[in-house]
């Protein structure tokens, strides 16, 4: 009989709320993106402008949440006092920006079906990178669940009407495949390294300050990437801003900002392996919601995918990655009550 290890899956009550919020935000993301598309599935707004404005929105929200319990002056004090920790967040921010930009090259090299099919390999890649960074070996059951999760996600992207040419898009594209693997590595490494910073590098840091570090670096990296492609005057032109500042797109940006901030709480209280399974849960929720809201049919491959993913999730839930030695509840209570604690002095004067 299947027995789920709830205590290891959700160490605290807050982790259950964080898990539910994370799934909710990212399920909504797919629905909201669909809502903002035109009838021909194009975007009637500059997506680059949306990405940058969302980063600014994340920075404003997380700064406001910190200042709710601390003087505004302490926000700037903490940033300048901990520039070393802030600089470390340049790594995941740069990797995420690199991932987003390489995606355009990969999509131009592969047809969409092949691209999204191969992209599911990042599930297993996350497990490999997690083991290396955290020096924690995954069990055979955990690896089996990740393998089944990868297969389930790949089946979701499989076109059974063209099964004979399933990997035809790979022919003669060895260098493009290597680039795609590098792209996936950027995303997986960024996520796991972000978790490492939250848990290992500065575990007693106020999480809102760490979010400030992340979004400051993200804005810098994205601005650099944008300048390499188009002038900023075009990105923030009155035409671009007027197309973005409509209710549906504003709701999309607010949802993405909420999802981004929730991600940091997720990685602090749970882990990157658990995060891969939430992605599969979002896949199921999105498929069902799109069917009821937009009439998008659910095909046989989607049903098979949901069954495999569900079993993989149950299998993992019986033997999840163990929680950290430090109590997550203690860390959560500390970060909500205190500003960033210096690693050397153990106390910060505000």
């Amino acid at each position: 009989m299947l027995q789920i290890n709830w205590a290891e899956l959700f160490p605290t009550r807050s982790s259950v709320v964080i898990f539910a919020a994370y799934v909710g935000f990212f399920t909504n993301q797919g629905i909201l993106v669909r809502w903002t598309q035109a009838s021909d599935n194009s975007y009637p707004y500059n997506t680059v402008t949306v990405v940058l404005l969302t980063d600014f929105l994340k920075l404003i929200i997380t700064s406001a949440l910190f200042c709710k319990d601390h003087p505004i002056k302490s926000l700037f004090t903490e940033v300048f006092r901990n520039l070393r920790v802030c600089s470390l967040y340049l790594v995941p921010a740069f990797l995420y920006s690199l991932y987003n930009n390489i995606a355009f090259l990969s999509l131009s090299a592969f047809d969409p079906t092949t691209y999204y099919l191969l992209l599911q390999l990042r599930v297993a890649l996350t497990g490999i990178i997690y083991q290396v960074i955290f020096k924690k070996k995954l069990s055979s059951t955990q690896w089996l669940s990740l393998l089944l999760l990868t297969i389930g996600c790949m089946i979701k992207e499989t076109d059974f009407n063209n099964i004979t040419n399933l990997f035809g898009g790979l022919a003669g594209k060895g260098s493009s495949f290597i680039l795609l693997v590098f792209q996936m590595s950027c995303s997986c490494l960024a996520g796991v390294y972000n978790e490492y910073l939250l848990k290992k590098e500065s575990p007693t840091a106020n999480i809102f300050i760490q979010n400030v570090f992340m979004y400051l670096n993200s804005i810098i990296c994205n601005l650099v990437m944008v300048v390499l492609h188009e002038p900023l005057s075009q990105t923030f032109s009155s035409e671009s801003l007027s197309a973005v500042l409509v209710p549906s797109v504003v709701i999309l940006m607010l949802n993405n900002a909420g999802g981004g901030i929730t991600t940091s709480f997720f990685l602090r209280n749970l882990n990157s392996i658990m995060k891969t399974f939430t992605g599969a849960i979002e896949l199921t929720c999105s498929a069902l919601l799109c069917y009821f809201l937009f009439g998008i049919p659910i095909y046989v491959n989607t049903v098979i995918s949901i069954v495999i993913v569900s079993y993989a999730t149950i299998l993992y839930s019986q033997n999840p990655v163990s929680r950290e030695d430090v109590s997550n509840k203690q860390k959560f209570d500390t970060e909500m009550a205190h500003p960033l604690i210096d690693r050397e002095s153990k106390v910060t004067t505000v």
Side-chain angles (χ1 to χ4, degrees), residues 66 70-79 209 339 350:
F66 176 79
H70 305 90
I72 295 178
K73 180 183 176 181
S74 65
L75 175 65
F76 298 97
T77 302
E78 293 303 327
V79 171
I209 286 293
V350 178

Side-chain angles (χ1 to χ4, degrees), residues 129 162 231 261:
I129 293 174
N162 195 25
I261 294 170

Side-chain angles (χ1 to χ4, degrees), residues 10 17 43 46 59 63 67 78 104 172 198 215 269:
F10 303 109
V17 175
Y43 297 99
N46 189 330
L59 181 61
S63 298
C67 292
E78 293 303 327
F104 291 102
L198 287 164
Y215 302 139
N269 289 269

Side-chain angles (χ1 to χ4, degrees), residues 185-348:
S185 300
C186 287
S187 173
C188 298
L189 182 58
V192 178
Y193 186 68
N194 192 15
E195 180 185 347
Y196 174 82
L197 291 178
L198 287 164
K199 288 181 175 177
K200 301 292 186 180
E201 183 60 36
S202 47
T204 54
N206 182 287
I207 198 164
F208 295 126
I209 286 293
Q210 295 211 57
N211 278 338
V212 168
F213 294 160
M214 181 65 184
Y215 302 139
L216 280 174
N217 283 294
S218 183
I219 289 170
I220 292 170
C221 289
N222 283 326
L223 282 173
V224 171
M225 293 295 183
V226 168
V227 170
L228 294 176
H229 289 90
E230 65 180 37
L232 283 177
S233 57
Q234 179 179 332
T235 305
F236 294 108
S237 66
S238 57
E239 183 180 354
S240 294
L241 291 175
S242 61
V244 165
L245 297 178
V246 296
S248 59
V249 181
V250 170
I251 292 173
L252 172 64
M253 290 192 294
L254 286 170
N255 182 83
N256 288 353
I261 294 170
T262 303
T263 298
S264 61
F265 282 95
F266 190 104
L267 292 175
R268 172 67 74 87
N269 289 269
L270 297 166
N271 55 67
S272 299
I273 303 298
M274 187 77 161
K275 186 166 169 281
T276 63
F277 282 88
T278 60
I281 294 171
E282 293 154 25
L283 179 151
T284 303
C285 294
S286 295
L288 293 173
L289 286 172
C290 283
Y291 172 76
F292 289 112
L293 295 175
F294 306 113
I296 298 175
I298 297 177
Y299 298 103
V300 174
N301 61 321
T302 303
V303 176
I304 296 173
S305 172
I306 289 173
V307 171
I308 295 175
V309 164
S310 298
Y311 179 72
T313 304
I314 292 172
L315 187 64
Y316 174 79
S317 67
Q318 297 174 75
N319 183 29
V321 173
S322 61
R323 64 179 129 176
E324 299 297 317
D325 294 332
V326 180
S327 167
N328 281 316
K329 186 179 187 305
Q330 274 188 324
K331 288 190 292 183
F332 184 80
D333 291 341
T334 300
E335 70 200 15
M336 296 299 288
H338 302 288
L340 192 64
I341 299 176
D342 186 83
R343 287 175 61 85
E344 299 299 326
S345 65
K346 303 300 181 186
V347 65
T348 294

Side-chain angles (χ1 to χ4, degrees), residues 158-199:
T158 301
D159 181 6
F160 282 97
N161 293 322
N162 195 25
I163 194 70
T164 56
N165 193 37
L166 185 59
F167 291 103
L170 281 174
K173 294 181 179 178
S175 58
S176 297
F177 177 71
I178 293 173
L179 184 64
L180 179 59
V181 172
F182 176 71
Q183 176 195 341
M184 290 186 288
S185 300
C186 287
S187 173
C188 298
L189 182 58
V192 178
Y193 186 68
N194 192 15
E195 180 185 347
Y196 174 82
L197 291 178
L198 287 164
K199 288 181 175 177

Side-chain angles (χ1 to χ4, degrees), residues 19 25 30 37 43 68 87 90 111 163 203 207 223 259-260 288 333:
F19 178 87
F25 277 123
Q37 288 178 333
Y43 297 99
K68 179 175 70 70
S87 65
L90 184 61
D111 61 272
I163 194 70
I207 198 164
L223 282 173
L288 293 173
D333 291 341

